[in-house]
Amino acid sequence: MFDVKQFSSDKILSHIGRISEWLETGSSRPITYELDMTNICNNDCPFCFGFHKRKDIPAALDPELAVGIVDQIKEFGGKGLTFTGGGEPTCNRHTMEVVEYSKKKGLDVGFISNGLLLDESRAERLVKNCMWIRISLDAGTQEVYEKTHGLDGDAFEKVLKNVEMLVSMKKNMGKDVTIGLGYLTPPLSREDMRDFVLLGKKLGVDYSQFRPILRRFGEKRINFDTKETIDYIRELLVEYSDDNTRILYSHHKYEALSNGHIVRPYDKCYGHHFATVIAADAKMYLCCHTRGIEKYCIGDLKKNSLKDIWGSALRKKVYDNIDFKDCPYLCRCDSFNTILWHVKRDKVHKNFL
């Protein structure tokens, strides 16, 4: 119904050169990087997808190391850099200067935050330097926010005021940054979905996005009743979505979960060649679902350069030994993997379109 190209999996086809590189050599230089400035967080979300066992191993990047990593990302052909976690990026007091530096280096910058520590200075620097900002709200009322973020008191109202501040700054500064709200949909928060949508409209964000819960490393398969959820999202979309505030959702993920049709047509994680993760311990991991899991660590930027890590025997070994049993279905790279699998496989009568 609405243009949601910022979430379209076929964006990867905009990088034909890198796809050709991958087809010819079996690898590609990453296009998108996730950078965790810290794995410390000021929230306690029960469905956190952050650094594995982050509470046992607190870590943060110092500014010199982080700036050096940004230099390497740019030199190695990186295009987009997302500050995320890990933990909460604003819990590292140096994050904003690294955000500014990344923009100056010519990288497209995205930022994911719980929004609690935003103040006027941080908000202004984000609006000036980011292409997009997403606040993980996961609630429409104080009661549900306490369940989904593990916080009570006035934290919910603080976050709402901070989102309002971001939107106001965007308008006053005439910036084209996209500001959105994120909402995971486990059963405990389903009751709040309508209030969440109404909050997004009231705050004036560009979009409100629903996303399903995925299984984390070491967990048994999560089997939530998503049929009811997807029907409700469609109802909300018809009722409230417009050109000012769009209601977005991971359509193919909800559909697959609701009808039980969860299959991987591919047998390798092709998407890893195009997107990677640098965690707060300065180690690189296979993907966002494996940060902090040693068997999926592909190198340490305190010991080796990004370029050397990418061409190393260790990365190849880790990649060749991916066990899909460790990976959640409908993972970060799933849609890219499917597209790249179709690109890679032999075609019959390929000159007849």
Side-chain angles (χ1 to χ4, degrees):
M1 182 178 294
F2 295 105
D3 180 9
V4 291
K5 58 180 178 295
Q6 66 264 44
F7 297 110
S8 299
S9 56
D10 60 3
K11 287 187 297 183
I12 197 167
L13 298 177
S14 301
H15 302 277
I16 296 300
R18 295 292 171 88
I19 293 176
S20 297
E21 184 180 325
W22 166 66
L23 289 171
E24 292 171 8
T25 68
S27 186
S28 168
R29 291 161 296 147
I31 296 162
T32 302
Y33 290 78
E34 293 187 12
L35 180 63
D36 302 343
M37 289 297 294
T38 181
N39 62 16
I40 297 166
C41 190
N42 55 350
N43 282 210
D44 191 20
C45 307
F47 299 104
C48 176
F49 237 117
F51 193 94
H52 185 61
K53 295 184 178 179
R54 63 176 177 79
K55 293 181 180 180
D56 299 333
I57 315 171
L61 294 177
D62 65 64
E64 292 79 17
L65 178 58
V67 164
I69 289 171
V70 171
D71 285 338
Q72 293 186 65
I73 289 172
K74 180 63 178 178
E75 290 166 7
F76 199 52
K79 304 290 186 182
L81 178 59
T82 302
F83 288 82
T84 180
E88 165 53 39
T90 58
C91 283
N92 185 327
R93 63 189 180 91
H94 300 291
T95 294
M96 294 304 141
E97 61 191 80
V98 183
V99 166
E100 291 173 326
Y101 185 79
S102 302
K103 174 68 181 301
K104 289 177 182 177
K105 291 293 291 187
L107 294 169
D108 291 339
V109 178
F111 200 88
I112 300 174
S113 171
N114 60 42
L116 186 58
L117 290 181
L118 292 181
D119 54 22
E120 190 170 338
S121 174
R122 290 189 178 105
E124 182 177 353
R125 295 164 89 175
L126 289 177
V127 170
K128 282 183 177 179
N129 292 282
C130 294
M131 290 195 73
W132 58 267
I133 303 164
R134 190 179 78 212
I135 303 299
S136 301
L137 189 61
D138 307 304
T141 63
Q142 170 77 31
E143 181 182 1
V144 170
Y145 182 83
E146 291 179 4
K147 297 177 183 177
T148 58
H149 284 257
L151 298 177
D152 54 16
D154 60 354
F156 182 62
E157 290 301 322
K158 282 184 179 178
V159 173
L160 296 186
K161 288 179 181 178
N162 290 340
V163 173
E164 192 174 31
M165 177 173 57
L166 284 171
V167 173
S168 177
M169 282 187 174
K170 170 186 173 175
K171 293 177 180 177
N172 293 337
M173 295 165 61
K175 294 293 184 179
D176 196 29
V177 56
T178 301
I179 299 173
L181 300 177
Y183 190 106
L184 293 173
T185 56
L188 66 86
S189 66
R190 189 176 294 146
E191 63 192 77
D192 241 21
M193 291 167 64
R194 184 180 298 273
D195 287 324
F196 168 73
V197 168
L198 292 174
L199 260 183
K201 293 180 74 68
K202 178 182 177 182
L203 294 169
V205 297
D206 297 297
Y207 69 85
S208 299
Q209 183 192 21
F210 293 109
R211 293 177 297 136
I213 295 289
L214 299 181
R215 178 176 60 83
R216 293 174 292 190
F217 180 79
E219 289 182 334
K220 294 181 179 179
R221 179 179 174 183
I222 294 174
N223 187 25
F224 289 145
D225 177 14
T226 54
K227 180 66 169 65
E228 180 181 343
T229 301
I230 193 172
D231 288 344
Y232 193 26
I233 291 173
R234 286 171 175 156
E235 178 185 324
L236 294 172
L237 191 150
V238 170
E239 190 171 354
Y240 294 112
S241 198
D242 55 38
D243 287 330
N244 295 318
T245 300
R246 299 177 180 183
I247 300 170
L248 310 180
Y249 68 108
S250 304
H251 176 270
H252 72 287
K253 292 184 179 182
Y254 281 107
E255 287 285 1
L257 289 168
S258 65
N259 61 30
H261 186 65
I262 305 175
V263 296
R264 290 187 174 97
Y266 50 86
D267 58 4
K268 296 287 287 184
C269 183
Y270 304 124
H272 161 67
H273 297 291
F274 302 87
T276 191
V277 170
I278 300 169
D281 58 359
K283 293 181 179 180
M284 295 183 67
Y285 294 91
L286 197 71
C287 72
C288 63
H289 302 290
T290 60
R291 50 162 67 90
I293 300 167
E294 196 61 32
K295 68 182 285 190
Y296 290 115
C297 174
I298 61 174
D300 188 339
L301 285 162
K302 291 180 180 178
K303 300 177 181 178
N304 300 103
S305 70
L306 191 160
K307 183 178 180 180
D308 287 345
I309 289 172
W310 205 250
S312 68
L314 175 60
R315 183 178 84 93
K316 185 178 187 305
K317 179 182 177 181
V318 171
Y319 177 71
D320 287 341
N321 287 279
I322 294 172
D323 185 349
F324 278 154
K325 293 178 183 178
D326 293 332
C327 306
Y329 286 108
L330 306 170
C331 66
R332 166 75 168 81
C333 288
D334 177 73
S335 55
F336 299 135
N337 285 335
T338 301
I339 290 173
L340 293 168
W341 175 75
H342 283 293
V343 169
K344 188 177 178 66
R345 67 178 182 157
D346 292 334
K347 307 296 188 298
V348 178
H349 300 164
K350 64 182 180 181
N351 293 328
F352 293 87
L353 304 178

